[in-house]
Amino acid sequence: MDIGVLTVPLGGESLEDALAYLDDIGVDAVELGCGGHPGQDHLPRSEYLDDEEAQDDLSALLDEYDMYVSALATHNNPLHPDEETAQQADTDLREAVELADQLDVDAVTCFSGLPAGGPEDEVPNWITAPWPGEHADAHEYQWEEVAIPYWRDLAEHAADHDVELAVEMHPNMLVHEPAGMLELREATNEYVGANFDPSHLYWQGIDVPEAIRFLGEHDAIHHFHAKDTKVYDAKARYKGVLDTTPYTDESERSWLFRSVGYGHGEEHWKDVVSALRMVDYDGALSIEHEDSLTSSREGLEKAVDMLERAVFETTPGEAYWAE
């Protein structure tokens, strides 16, 4: 396993400066935004798609710092009821897949998207309970009428380019937990799998090592985000974890995204890495910094420091003691 970084927090500096800094702190791989919410500061899609000279320059720059690209990132809502919004998200995704193919990058990280609750609705609707009955009907509409037809077509596009679609299980998206992730994969093809980001699972009460083993049994982990979450019980005891308090009002929230090691300790993260080893994941642990209690650089550096003690650098040897 390699330590990687989603470079969005460093978007204010050039890609070369970002790579030099990341190389200096011990990073092996980068995940580059090329559209949607991550933006495209370090990989403007139109400047690289179908441009061999620009792609060669990028390859040379990566080689200079002994880096590789673990994934291209474009997180948006291709199932949005607003046609223009959905079309832009779809373009982002399809072109990201095409660019990943041209750059020899294995995966595109993304969201599943979230439809409206019915064909006449104008805003996405995150259904979290089957009652009242119209909620169950809306959920069925979202899956059967919108998500599955769209994702089947997108999955074929990914297969045509031999690029994996790594879906981040994210609340306020249709796929927000491992069972839903597997449902989408089974309805499409093997190119659809998880960008496993534990931070969104922790506050839902999901056991992360068990979820890794559950999805790993189906070869359904295509990429991994190293990002932590801390649940603050003093708030959660009376307001729960479905918290609409602004992220920047930290003292009032029941949970916060944290740098790796500040939501769960080193022992837990070693369990996470071990679970990934058990399911034969050998890709990058791509650090996503969204900790509002520290700066981007400090958060990245502390995460790298802790992950360096957790990751395995060698392949397992022969289990001589088991013979």
mmCIF file with all atom_site columns, all heavy atoms in Angstrom, residues 44-65:
data_model
loop_
_atom_site.group_PDB
_atom_site.id
_atom_site.type_symbol
_atom_site.label_atom_id
_atom_site.label_alt_id
_atom_site.label_comp_id
_atom_site.label_asym_id
_atom_site.label_entity_id
_atom_site.label_seq_id
_atom_site.pdbx_PDB_ins_code
_atom_site.Cartn_x
_atom_site.Cartn_y
_atom_site.Cartn_z
_atom_site.occupancy
_atom_site.B_iso_or_equiv
_atom_site.pdbx_formal_charge
_atom_site.auth_seq_id
_atom_site.auth_comp_id
_atom_site.auth_asym_id
_atom_site.auth_atom_id
_atom_site.pdbx_PDB_model_num
ATOM 1   N N   . PRO A 1 44 ? -6.740  20.582 -15.310 1.00 0.00 ? 44 PRO A N   1
ATOM 2   C CA  . PRO A 1 44 ? -7.839  21.115 -16.139 1.00 0.00 ? 44 PRO A CA  1
ATOM 3   C C   . PRO A 1 44 ? -8.133  20.140 -17.277 1.00 0.00 ? 44 PRO A C   1
ATOM 4   O O   . PRO A 1 44 ? -7.287  19.908 -18.146 1.00 0.00 ? 44 PRO A O   1
ATOM 5   C CB  . PRO A 1 44 ? -7.279  22.448 -16.657 1.00 0.00 ? 44 PRO A CB  1
ATOM 6   C CG  . PRO A 1 44 ? -6.142  22.779 -15.752 1.00 0.00 ? 44 PRO A CG  1
ATOM 7   C CD  . PRO A 1 44 ? -5.575  21.469 -15.313 1.00 0.00 ? 44 PRO A CD  1
ATOM 8   N N   . ARG A 1 45 ? -9.310  19.556 -17.241 1.00 0.00 ? 45 ARG A N   1
ATOM 9   C CA  . ARG A 1 45 ? -9.615  18.440 -18.142 1.00 0.00 ? 45 ARG A CA  1
ATOM 10  C C   . ARG A 1 45 ? -9.445  18.811 -19.618 1.00 0.00 ? 45 ARG A C   1
ATOM 11  O O   . ARG A 1 45 ? -8.884  18.052 -20.404 1.00 0.00 ? 45 ARG A O   1
ATOM 12  C CB  . ARG A 1 45 ? -11.045 17.965 -17.867 1.00 0.00 ? 45 ARG A CB  1
ATOM 13  C CG  . ARG A 1 45 ? -11.272 16.507 -18.112 1.00 0.00 ? 45 ARG A CG  1
ATOM 14  C CD  . ARG A 1 45 ? -12.609 16.022 -17.585 1.00 0.00 ? 45 ARG A CD  1
ATOM 15  N NE  . ARG A 1 45 ? -13.735 16.790 -18.097 1.00 0.00 ? 45 ARG A NE  1
ATOM 16  C CZ  . ARG A 1 45 ? -14.521 17.552 -17.346 1.00 0.00 ? 45 ARG A CZ  1
ATOM 17  N NH1 . ARG A 1 45 ? -14.293 17.647 -16.044 1.00 0.00 ? 45 ARG A NH1 1
ATOM 18  N NH2 . ARG A 1 45 ? -15.529 18.210 -17.867 1.00 0.00 ? 45 ARG A NH2 1
ATOM 19  N N   . SER A 1 46 ? -9.926  19.984 -19.989 1.00 0.00 ? 46 SER A N   1
ATOM 20  C CA  . SER A 1 46 ? -9.876  20.370 -21.395 1.00 0.00 ? 46 SER A CA  1
ATOM 21  C C   . SER A 1 46 ? -8.448  20.550 -21.893 1.00 0.00 ? 46 SER A C   1
ATOM 22  O O   . SER A 1 46 ? -8.187  20.463 -23.102 1.00 0.00 ? 46 SER A O   1
ATOM 23  C CB  . SER A 1 46 ? -10.672 21.664 -21.622 1.00 0.00 ? 46 SER A CB  1
ATOM 24  O OG  . SER A 1 46 ? -10.096 22.733 -20.885 1.00 0.00 ? 46 SER A OG  1
ATOM 25  N N   . GLU A 1 47 ? -7.505  20.802 -20.985 1.00 0.00 ? 47 GLU A N   1
ATOM 26  C CA  . GLU A 1 47 ? -6.121  21.006 -21.386 1.00 0.00 ? 47 GLU A CA  1
ATOM 27  C C   . GLU A 1 47 ? -5.357  19.695 -21.566 1.00 0.00 ? 47 GLU A C   1
ATOM 28  O O   . GLU A 1 47 ? -4.279  19.685 -22.167 1.00 0.00 ? 47 GLU A O   1
ATOM 29  C CB  . GLU A 1 47 ? -5.395  21.877 -20.349 1.00 0.00 ? 47 GLU A CB  1
ATOM 30  C CG  . GLU A 1 47 ? -5.933  23.295 -20.248 1.00 0.00 ? 47 GLU A CG  1
ATOM 31  C CD  . GLU A 1 47 ? -5.191  24.124 -19.217 1.00 0.00 ? 47 GLU A CD  1
ATOM 32  O OE1 . GLU A 1 47 ? -4.072  23.717 -18.825 1.00 0.00 ? 47 GLU A OE1 1
ATOM 33  O OE2 . GLU A 1 47 ? -5.735  25.167 -18.804 1.00 0.00 ? 47 GLU A OE2 1
ATOM 34  N N   . TYR A 1 48 ? -5.919  18.596 -21.048 1.00 0.00 ? 48 TYR A N   1
ATOM 35  C CA  . TYR A 1 48 ? -5.201  17.320 -21.107 1.00 0.00 ? 48 TYR A CA  1
ATOM 36  C C   . TYR A 1 48 ? -5.910  16.272 -21.963 1.00 0.00 ? 48 TYR A C   1
ATOM 37  O O   . TYR A 1 48 ? -5.258  15.392 -22.526 1.00 0.00 ? 48 TYR A O   1
ATOM 38  C CB  . TYR A 1 48 ? -5.001  16.766 -19.695 1.00 0.00 ? 48 TYR A CB  1
ATOM 39  C CG  . TYR A 1 48 ? -3.951  17.516 -18.919 1.00 0.00 ? 48 TYR A CG  1
ATOM 40  C CD1 . TYR A 1 48 ? -4.284  18.629 -18.153 1.00 0.00 ? 48 TYR A CD1 1
ATOM 41  C CD2 . TYR A 1 48 ? -2.610  17.126 -18.975 1.00 0.00 ? 48 TYR A CD2 1
ATOM 42  C CE1 . TYR A 1 48 ? -3.309  19.331 -17.443 1.00 0.00 ? 48 TYR A CE1 1
ATOM 43  C CE2 . TYR A 1 48 ? -1.635  17.811 -18.274 1.00 0.00 ? 48 TYR A CE2 1
ATOM 44  C CZ  . TYR A 1 48 ? -1.990  18.924 -17.513 1.00 0.00 ? 48 TYR A CZ  1
ATOM 45  O OH  . TYR A 1 48 ? -1.018  19.621 -16.827 1.00 0.00 ? 48 TYR A OH  1
ATOM 46  N N   . LEU A 1 49 ? -7.230  16.355 -22.059 1.00 0.00 ? 49 LEU A N   1
ATOM 47  C CA  . LEU A 1 49 ? -7.970  15.347 -22.802 1.00 0.00 ? 49 LEU A CA  1
ATOM 48  C C   . LEU A 1 49 ? -7.594  15.420 -24.285 1.00 0.00 ? 49 LEU A C   1
ATOM 49  O O   . LEU A 1 49 ? -7.681  16.488 -24.904 1.00 0.00 ? 49 LEU A O   1
ATOM 50  C CB  . LEU A 1 49 ? -9.474  15.561 -22.619 1.00 0.00 ? 49 LEU A CB  1
ATOM 51  C CG  . LEU A 1 49 ? -10.405 14.484 -23.183 1.00 0.00 ? 49 LEU A CG  1
ATOM 52  C CD1 . LEU A 1 49 ? -10.150 13.138 -22.497 1.00 0.00 ? 49 LEU A CD1 1
ATOM 53  C CD2 . LEU A 1 49 ? -11.874 14.893 -23.000 1.00 0.00 ? 49 LEU A CD2 1
ATOM 54  N N   . ASP A 1 50 ? -7.162  14.299 -24.826 1.00 0.00 ? 50 ASP A N   1
ATOM 55  C CA  . ASP A 1 50 ? -6.782  14.162 -26.243 1.00 0.00 ? 50 ASP A CA  1
ATOM 56  C C   . ASP A 1 50 ? -5.540  14.973 -26.615 1.00 0.00 ? 50 ASP A C   1
ATOM 57  O O   . ASP A 1 50 ? -5.272  15.162 -27.811 1.00 0.00 ? 50 ASP A O   1
ATOM 58  C CB  . ASP A 1 50 ? -7.945  14.567 -27.166 1.00 0.00 ? 50 ASP A CB  1
ATOM 59  C CG  . ASP A 1 50 ? -9.175  13.705 -26.957 1.00 0.00 ? 50 ASP A CG  1
ATOM 60  O OD1 . ASP A 1 50 ? -9.017  12.492 -26.715 1.00 0.00 ? 50 ASP A OD1 1
ATOM 61  O OD2 . ASP A 1 50 ? -10.305 14.241 -27.029 1.00 0.00 ? 50 ASP A OD2 1
ATOM 62  N N   . ASP A 1 51 ? -4.773  15.435 -25.632 1.00 0.00 ? 51 ASP A N   1
ATOM 63  C CA  . ASP A 1 51 ? -3.564  16.213 -25.923 1.00 0.00 ? 51 ASP A CA  1
ATOM 64  C C   . ASP A 1 51 ? -2.347  15.415 -25.454 1.00 0.00 ? 51 ASP A C   1
ATOM 65  O O   . ASP A 1 51 ? -1.975  15.440 -24.276 1.00 0.00 ? 51 ASP A O   1
ATOM 66  C CB  . ASP A 1 51 ? -3.620  17.571 -25.217 1.00 0.00 ? 51 ASP A CB  1
ATOM 67  C CG  . ASP A 1 51 ? -2.497  18.511 -25.659 1.00 0.00 ? 51 ASP A CG  1
ATOM 68  O OD1 . ASP A 1 51 ? -1.396  18.015 -25.954 1.00 0.00 ? 51 ASP A OD1 1
ATOM 69  O OD2 . ASP A 1 51 ? -2.727  19.735 -25.671 1.00 0.00 ? 51 ASP A OD2 1
ATOM 70  N N   . GLU A 1 52 ? -1.705  14.708 -26.383 1.00 0.00 ? 52 GLU A N   1
ATOM 71  C CA  . GLU A 1 52 ? -0.596  13.826 -26.021 1.00 0.00 ? 52 GLU A CA  1
ATOM 72  C C   . GLU A 1 52 ? 0.594   14.604 -25.481 1.00 0.00 ? 52 GLU A C   1
ATOM 73  O O   . GLU A 1 52 ? 1.289   14.127 -24.572 1.00 0.00 ? 52 GLU A O   1
ATOM 74  C CB  . GLU A 1 52 ? -0.181  12.989 -27.226 1.00 0.00 ? 52 GLU A CB  1
ATOM 75  C CG  . GLU A 1 52 ? -1.212  11.963 -27.644 1.00 0.00 ? 52 GLU A CG  1
ATOM 76  C CD  . GLU A 1 52 ? -0.702  11.058 -28.747 1.00 0.00 ? 52 GLU A CD  1
ATOM 77  O OE1 . GLU A 1 52 ? 0.516   11.089 -29.033 1.00 0.00 ? 52 GLU A OE1 1
ATOM 78  O OE2 . GLU A 1 52 ? -1.515  10.309 -29.321 1.00 0.00 ? 52 GLU A OE2 1
ATOM 79  N N   . GLU A 1 53 ? 0.828   15.786 -26.001 1.00 0.00 ? 53 GLU A N   1
ATOM 80  C CA  . GLU A 1 53 ? 1.966   16.568 -25.521 1.00 0.00 ? 53 GLU A CA  1
ATOM 81  C C   . GLU A 1 53 ? 1.771   16.971 -24.073 1.00 0.00 ? 53 GLU A C   1
ATOM 82  O O   . GLU A 1 53 ? 2.700   16.839 -23.241 1.00 0.00 ? 53 GLU A O   1
ATOM 83  C CB  . GLU A 1 53 ? 2.158   17.808 -26.389 1.00 0.00 ? 53 GLU A CB  1
ATOM 84  C CG  . GLU A 1 53 ? 3.377   18.636 -25.992 1.00 0.00 ? 53 GLU A CG  1
ATOM 85  C CD  . GLU A 1 53 ? 3.605   19.831 -26.898 1.00 0.00 ? 53 GLU A CD  1
ATOM 86  O OE1 . GLU A 1 53 ? 2.897   19.948 -27.925 1.00 0.00 ? 53 GLU A OE1 1
ATOM 87  O OE2 . GLU A 1 53 ? 4.501   20.651 -26.593 1.00 0.00 ? 53 GLU A OE2 1
ATOM 88  N N   . ALA A 1 54 ? 0.581   17.450 -23.719 1.00 0.00 ? 54 ALA A N   1
ATOM 89  C CA  . ALA A 1 54 ? 0.295   17.828 -22.334 1.00 0.00 ? 54 ALA A CA  1
ATOM 90  C C   . ALA A 1 54 ? 0.364   16.609 -21.424 1.00 0.00 ? 54 ALA A C   1
ATOM 91  O O   . ALA A 1 54 ? 0.871   16.686 -20.294 1.00 0.00 ? 54 ALA A O   1
ATOM 92  C CB  . ALA A 1 54 ? -1.081  18.492 -22.242 1.00 0.00 ? 54 ALA A CB  1
ATOM 93  N N   . GLN A 1 55 ? -0.120  15.475 -21.896 1.00 0.00 ? 55 GLN A N   1
ATOM 94  C CA  . GLN A 1 55 ? -0.081  14.253 -21.098 1.00 0.00 ? 55 GLN A CA  1
ATOM 95  C C   . GLN A 1 55 ? 1.360   13.793 -20.881 1.00 0.00 ? 55 GLN A C   1
ATOM 96  O O   . GLN A 1 55 ? 1.713   13.344 -19.780 1.00 0.00 ? 55 GLN A O   1
ATOM 97  C CB  . GLN A 1 55 ? -0.902  13.165 -21.785 1.00 0.00 ? 55 GLN A CB  1
ATOM 98  C CG  . GLN A 1 55 ? -2.394  13.464 -21.825 1.00 0.00 ? 55 GLN A CG  1
ATOM 99  C CD  . GLN A 1 55 ? -3.167  12.492 -22.699 1.00 0.00 ? 55 GLN A CD  1
ATOM 100 O OE1 . GLN A 1 55 ? -2.662  11.429 -23.061 1.00 0.00 ? 55 GLN A OE1 1
ATOM 101 N NE2 . GLN A 1 55 ? -4.394  12.852 -23.036 1.00 0.00 ? 55 GLN A NE2 1
ATOM 102 N N   . ASP A 1 56 ? 2.196   13.928 -21.899 1.00 0.00 ? 56 ASP A N   1
ATOM 103 C CA  . ASP A 1 56 ? 3.615   13.560 -21.741 1.00 0.00 ? 56 ASP A CA  1
ATOM 104 C C   . ASP A 1 56 ? 4.302   14.471 -20.735 1.00 0.00 ? 56 ASP A C   1
ATOM 105 O O   . ASP A 1 56 ? 5.139   14.007 -19.940 1.00 0.00 ? 56 ASP A O   1
ATOM 106 C CB  . ASP A 1 56 ? 4.323   13.632 -23.096 1.00 0.00 ? 56 ASP A CB  1
ATOM 107 C CG  . ASP A 1 56 ? 3.916   12.509 -24.038 1.00 0.00 ? 56 ASP A CG  1
ATOM 108 O OD1 . ASP A 1 56 ? 3.337   11.516 -23.566 1.00 0.00 ? 56 ASP A OD1 1
ATOM 109 O OD2 . ASP A 1 56 ? 4.177   12.648 -25.253 1.00 0.00 ? 56 ASP A OD2 1
ATOM 110 N N   . ASP A 1 57 ? 3.955   15.755 -20.766 1.00 0.00 ? 57 ASP A N   1
ATOM 111 C CA  . ASP A 1 57 ? 4.539   16.696 -19.800 1.00 0.00 ? 57 ASP A CA  1
ATOM 112 C C   . ASP A 1 57 ? 4.135   16.319 -18.379 1.00 0.00 ? 57 ASP A C   1
ATOM 113 O O   . ASP A 1 57 ? 4.955   16.386 -17.445 1.00 0.00 ? 57 ASP A O   1
ATOM 114 C CB  . ASP A 1 57 ? 4.092   18.126 -20.106 1.00 0.00 ? 57 ASP A CB  1
ATOM 115 C CG  . ASP A 1 57 ? 4.728   18.678 -21.384 1.00 0.00 ? 57 ASP A CG  1
ATOM 116 O OD1 . ASP A 1 57 ? 5.715   18.095 -21.850 1.00 0.00 ? 57 ASP A OD1 1
ATOM 117 O OD2 . ASP A 1 57 ? 4.217   19.696 -21.904 1.00 0.00 ? 57 ASP A OD2 1
ATOM 118 N N   . LEU A 1 58 ? 2.868   15.936 -18.206 1.00 0.00 ? 58 LEU A N   1
ATOM 119 C CA  . LEU A 1 58 ? 2.405   15.521 -16.882 1.00 0.00 ? 58 LEU A CA  1
ATOM 120 C C   . LEU A 1 58 ? 3.143   14.271 -16.426 1.00 0.00 ? 58 LEU A C   1
ATOM 121 O O   . LEU A 1 58 ? 3.582   14.182 -15.268 1.00 0.00 ? 58 LEU A O   1
ATOM 122 C CB  . LEU A 1 58 ? 0.896   15.258 -16.916 1.00 0.00 ? 58 LEU A CB  1
ATOM 123 C CG  . LEU A 1 58 ? 0.280   14.684 -15.636 1.00 0.00 ? 58 LEU A CG  1
ATOM 124 C CD1 . LEU A 1 58 ? 0.453   15.649 -14.458 1.00 0.00 ? 58 LEU A CD1 1
ATOM 125 C CD2 . LEU A 1 58 ? -1.205  14.362 -15.852 1.00 0.00 ? 58 LEU A CD2 1
ATOM 126 N N   . SER A 1 59 ? 3.317   13.315 -17.320 1.00 0.00 ? 59 SER A N   1
ATOM 127 C CA  . SER A 1 59 ? 4.016   12.078 -16.983 1.00 0.00 ? 59 SER A CA  1
ATOM 128 C C   . SER A 1 59 ? 5.460   12.358 -16.567 1.00 0.00 ? 59 SER A C   1
ATOM 129 O O   . SER A 1 59 ? 5.964   11.784 -15.586 1.00 0.00 ? 59 SER A O   1
ATOM 130 C CB  . SER A 1 59 ? 3.988   11.120 -18.176 1.00 0.00 ? 59 SER A CB  1
ATOM 131 O OG  . SER A 1 59 ? 4.672   9.924  -17.886 1.00 0.00 ? 59 SER A OG  1
ATOM 132 N N   . ALA A 1 60 ? 6.103   13.260 -17.273 1.00 0.00 ? 60 ALA A N   1
ATOM 133 C CA  . ALA A 1 60 ? 7.491   13.602 -16.937 1.00 0.00 ? 60 ALA A CA  1
ATOM 134 C C   . ALA A 1 60 ? 7.571   14.284 -15.578 1.00 0.00 ? 60 ALA A C   1
ATOM 135 O O   . ALA A 1 60 ? 8.500   14.033 -14.793 1.00 0.00 ? 60 ALA A O   1
ATOM 136 C CB  . ALA A 1 60 ? 8.072   14.509 -18.023 1.00 0.00 ? 60 ALA A CB  1
ATOM 137 N N   . LEU A 1 61 ? 6.585   15.141 -15.286 1.00 0.00 ? 61 LEU A N   1
ATOM 138 C CA  . LEU A 1 61 ? 6.572   15.831 -13.993 1.00 0.00 ? 61 LEU A CA  1
ATOM 139 C C   . LEU A 1 61 ? 6.373   14.832 -12.860 1.00 0.00 ? 61 LEU A C   1
ATOM 140 O O   . LEU A 1 61 ? 7.042   14.905 -11.817 1.00 0.00 ? 61 LEU A O   1
ATOM 141 C CB  . LEU A 1 61 ? 5.473   16.892 -13.984 1.00 0.00 ? 61 LEU A CB  1
ATOM 142 C CG  . LEU A 1 61 ? 5.361   17.765 -12.732 1.00 0.00 ? 61 LEU A CG  1
ATOM 143 C CD1 . LEU A 1 61 ? 6.645   18.564 -12.497 1.00 0.00 ? 61 LEU A CD1 1
ATOM 144 C CD2 . LEU A 1 61 ? 4.154   18.708 -12.840 1.00 0.00 ? 61 LEU A CD2 1
ATOM 145 N N   . LEU A 1 62 ? 5.473   13.889 -13.052 1.00 0.00 ? 62 LEU A N   1
ATOM 146 C CA  . LEU A 1 62 ? 5.248   12.861 -12.037 1.00 0.00 ? 62 LEU A CA  1
ATOM 147 C C   . LEU A 1 62 ? 6.498   12.019 -11.838 1.00 0.00 ? 62 LEU A C   1
ATOM 148 O O   . LEU A 1 62 ? 6.879   11.698 -10.703 1.00 0.00 ? 62 LEU A O   1
ATOM 149 C CB  . LEU A 1 62 ? 4.062   11.982 -12.436 1.00 0.00 ? 62 LEU A CB  1
ATOM 150 C CG  . LEU A 1 62 ? 2.682   12.641 -12.399 1.00 0.00 ? 62 LEU A CG  1
ATOM 151 C CD1 . LEU A 1 62 ? 1.670   11.817 -13.188 1.00 0.00 ? 62 LEU A CD1 1
ATOM 152 C CD2 . LEU A 1 62 ? 2.206   12.812 -10.961 1.00 0.00 ? 62 LEU A CD2 1
ATOM 153 N N   . ASP A 1 63 ? 7.165   11.651 -12.930 1.00 0.00 ? 63 ASP A N   1
ATOM 154 C CA  . ASP A 1 63 ? 8.386   10.856 -12.833 1.00 0.00 ? 63 ASP A CA  1
ATOM 155 C C   . ASP A 1 63 ? 9.482   11.605 -12.078 1.00 0.00 ? 63 ASP A C   1
ATOM 156 O O   . ASP A 1 63 ? 10.260  11.004 -11.321 1.00 0.00 ? 63 ASP A O   1
ATOM 157 C CB  . ASP A 1 63 ? 8.894   10.497 -14.228 1.00 0.00 ? 63 ASP A CB  1
ATOM 158 C CG  . ASP A 1 63 ? 8.043   9.444  -14.914 1.00 0.00 ? 63 ASP A CG  1
ATOM 159 O OD1 . ASP A 1 63 ? 7.237   8.793  -14.218 1.00 0.00 ? 63 ASP A OD1 1
ATOM 160 O OD2 . ASP A 1 63 ? 8.165   9.294  -16.147 1.00 0.00 ? 63 ASP A OD2 1
ATOM 161 N N   . GLU A 1 64 ? 9.535   12.928 -12.272 1.00 0.00 ? 64 GLU A N   1
ATOM 162 C CA  . GLU A 1 64 ? 10.560  13.730 -11.602 1.00 0.00 ? 64 GLU A CA  1
ATOM 163 C C   . GLU A 1 64 ? 10.461  13.601 -10.095 1.00 0.00 ? 64 GLU A C   1
ATOM 164 O O   . GLU A 1 64 ? 11.485  13.612 -9.386  1.00 0.00 ? 64 GLU A O   1
ATOM 165 C CB  . GLU A 1 64 ? 10.420  15.191 -12.026 1.00 0.00 ? 64 GLU A CB  1
ATOM 166 C CG  . GLU A 1 64 ? 11.444  16.126 -11.398 1.00 0.00 ? 64 GLU A CG  1
ATOM 167 C CD  . GLU A 1 64 ? 11.284  17.564 -11.845 1.00 0.00 ? 64 GLU A CD  1
ATOM 168 O OE1 . GLU A 1 64 ? 10.517  17.817 -12.815 1.00 0.00 ? 64 GLU A OE1 1
ATOM 169 O OE2 . GLU A 1 64 ? 11.909  18.449 -11.226 1.00 0.00 ? 64 GLU A OE2 1
ATOM 170 N N   . TYR A 1 65 ? 9.223   13.469 -9.593  1.00 0.00 ? 65 TYR A N   1
ATOM 171 C CA  . TYR A 1 65 ? 9.029   13.376 -8.146  1.00 0.00 ? 65 TYR A CA  1
ATOM 172 C C   . TYR A 1 65 ? 8.657   11.955 -7.701  1.00 0.00 ? 65 TYR A C   1
ATOM 173 O O   . TYR A 1 65 ? 8.211   11.761 -6.565  1.00 0.00 ? 65 TYR A O   1
ATOM 174 C CB  . TYR A 1 65 ? 7.956   14.379 -7.707  1.00 0.00 ? 65 TYR A CB  1
ATOM 175 C CG  . TYR A 1 65 ? 8.428   15.802 -7.883  1.00 0.00 ? 65 TYR A CG  1
ATOM 176 C CD1 . TYR A 1 65 ? 8.045   16.552 -8.992  1.00 0.00 ? 65 TYR A CD1 1
ATOM 177 C CD2 . TYR A 1 65 ? 9.304   16.379 -6.971  1.00 0.00 ? 65 TYR A CD2 1
ATOM 178 C CE1 . TYR A 1 65 ? 8.509   17.853 -9.173  1.00 0.00 ? 65 TYR A CE1 1
ATOM 179 C CE2 . TYR A 1 65 ? 9.768   17.674 -7.136  1.00 0.00 ? 65 TYR A CE2 1
ATOM 180 C CZ  . TYR A 1 65 ? 9.367   18.399 -8.238  1.00 0.00 ? 65 TYR A CZ  1
ATOM 181 O OH  . TYR A 1 65 ? 9.843   19.682 -8.413  1.00 0.00 ? 65 TYR A OH  1
#
